[in-house]
Amino acid sequence: MAEAIKLEMAEGTFDTAAEERKNVIRLKKPYSFEGVKYQEIDLSGLDQLTVKDAVDAQRQLFGEGEIATATICETTTAFARTIAAKASGKPIEFFKMMPRSATALVSRTVRAHMNTENRTENHVLYLEQPYSFKGKEYTEIDLAGLADLTCMNESEAENRMAREGFMVVETSFNYLYACCIASMATGLPEEFFTGLPIRELLKLKNEVNNPDFFE
């Protein structure tokens, strides 16, 4: 087995090599919440989250007035703790009350899970693992059709965002917008993209907003 690669901070470590401990944060100093002391934070549930979970989190944070999430949402502490709550099954207060050092580890873990290698060539997005949708297995998604979309498609995606409660500001930061545009470009339903594992989200968002399509 390869030697474990560790990300270390003052309050704990995150072992990225041991599969059985994947996305489990071990704290050097116990964290007390509601009378219980926690020596570790289990975020292994990240593997079960989908793009829809990220869309829902982004919409929730917009509604709560988390202004920072209106731009690069995935880099914010608010987004990381919301996703961590979904992954762990713990209440959001568990993450809101933890010390900054542990919060930094949580944020780093969530971002590391989402910041996968950008395996996209000639506008074909290669998935980390085979993805099953309605009885068919996909290993890649051809997004070349993005080049054929029109102004009307842009408006349709913006209206879809508005109907879902998003304030239409800078669309390139919005996860639902990326799914809508990708759906129009491929002919696949929006649910195909919202059902993708959350680790595929940033690759999808980046490709939808690839400057090649705007030259």
Side-chain angles (χ1 to χ4, degrees):
M1 180 182 294
E3 182 179 355
I5 301 172
K6 294 183 179 180
L7 303 174
E8 300 193 17
M9 294 183 67
E11 294 298 324
T13 63
F14 170 51
D15 187 339
T16 62
E19 187 66 24
E20 69 275 11
R21 302 296 289 165
K22 184 180 178 183
N23 292 329
V24 175
I25 300 168
R26 294 186 297 280
L27 303 174
K28 290 182 178 178
K29 181 179 179 181
Y31 165 49
S32 295
F33 178 76
E34 295 186 344
V36 178
K37 288 187 176 181
Y38 294 86
Q39 194 67 57
E40 65 180 31
I41 303 170
D42 186 352
L43 298 183
S44 58
L46 286 168
D47 283 328
Q48 279 69 57
L49 298 188
T50 67
V51 170
K52 185 179 185 302
D53 290 300
V55 171
D56 291 343
Q58 190 175 48
R59 178 171 46 233
Q60 174 189 328
L61 292 167
F62 277 14
E64 292 174 354
E66 289 282 352
I67 300 173
T69 61
T71 53
I72 307 179
C73 185
E74 60 270 12
T75 66
T76 65
T77 301
F79 178 78
R81 69 175 175 239
T82 302
I83 293 299
K86 290 176 179 285
S88 66
K90 298 192 181 306
I92 193 66
E93 290 76 18
F94 175 88
F95 295 95
K96 286 184 174 180
M97 300 304 295
M98 65 174 45
R100 291 179 63 207
S101 51
T103 296
L105 283 170
V106 168
S107 296
R108 180 179 290 184
T109 303
V110 171
R111 290 168 195 164
H113 184 80
M114 294 180 66
N115 287 328
T116 56
E117 182 183 358
N118 189 20
R119 296 179 59 236
T120 305
E121 298 177 12
N122 297 320
H123 309 305
V124 175
L125 188 154
Y126 295 95
L127 303 176
E128 297 298 309
Q129 295 180 344
Y131 170 59
S132 294
F133 182 78
K134 294 187 176 180
K136 183 176 179 180
E137 189 172 272
Y138 296 80
T139 58
E140 61 186 51
I141 306 170
D142 188 348
L143 295 170
L146 289 166
D148 300 321
L149 298 184
T150 68
C151 179
M152 292 298 293
N153 297 121
E154 295 278 352
S155 295
E156 184 179 345
E158 291 168 358
N159 288 328
R160 175 82 177 97
M161 288 170 56
R163 287 195 299 272
E164 288 297 317
F166 286 104
M167 181 173 59
V168 181
V169 282
E170 177 50 68
T171 55
S172 63
F173 297 131
N174 188 273
Y175 305 145
L176 180 60
Y177 173 85
C179 293
C180 292
I181 291 292
S183 174
M184 289 183 243
T186 60
L188 293 165
E190 183 183 302
E191 292 74 20
F192 174 91
F193 294 97
T194 56
L196 286 168
I198 197 171
R199 67 186 305 136
E200 304 289 355
L201 174 59
L202 299 188
K203 289 192 296 185
L204 177 66
K205 188 189 78 162
N206 291 341
E207 187 59 26
V208 164
N209 296 288
N210 189 322
D212 289 353
F213 295 117
F214 299 95
E215 292 180 351

